[in-house]
């Protein structure tokens, strides 16, 4: 296992609307995919606008 030591830790902070959006994406993907292994790709694509709209990135600097 390899780890990037120079990368800063990034965390997402999302509001309640994000979780509503992800539920909608999940139901869309369940109805439109043909094979279960396609769910992850569909969900990632559908969920991207949710993340952009309802989440913000928080960067933590290792120096305290």
């Amino acid at each position: 296992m390899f780890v990037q030591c120079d990368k800063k830790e990034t965390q997402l902070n999302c509001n309640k609307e994000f979780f509503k959006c992800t539920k909608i994406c999940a139901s869309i993907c369940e109805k439109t995919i043909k094979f279960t292994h396609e769910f992850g790709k569909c969900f990632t694509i559908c969920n991207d606008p949710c993340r952009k709209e309802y989440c913000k990135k928080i960067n933590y600097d290792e120096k305290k």
Side-chain angles (χ1 to χ4, degrees):
M1 183 169 141
F2 294 96
V3 178
Q4 287 183 328
C5 297
D6 61 341
K7 192 173 184 178
K8 292 181 181 177
E9 187 178 335
T10 302
Q11 195 174 32
L12 284 178
N13 222 1
C14 304
N15 64 21
K16 291 180 182 180
E17 295 300 315
F18 169 76
F19 298 103
K20 291 178 186 177
C21 190
T22 59
K23 286 181 183 179
I24 293 168
C25 282
S27 68
I28 290 170
C29 291
E30 286 175 352
K31 294 174 185 173
T32 58
I33 62 170
K34 294 180 183 178
F35 303 103
T36 55
H37 68 271
E38 295 174 334
F39 182 86
K41 184 177 180 180
C42 174
F43 187 78
T44 300
I45 293 168
C46 181
N47 196 36
D48 191 46
C50 299
R51 222 176 282 121
K52 288 178 183 174
E53 182 75 23
Y54 302 116
C55 299
K56 65 179 181 176
K57 289 183 181 180
I58 300 172
N59 292 320
Y60 292 98
D61 193 357
E62 290 186 64
K63 296 178 185 177
K64 292 182 180 181

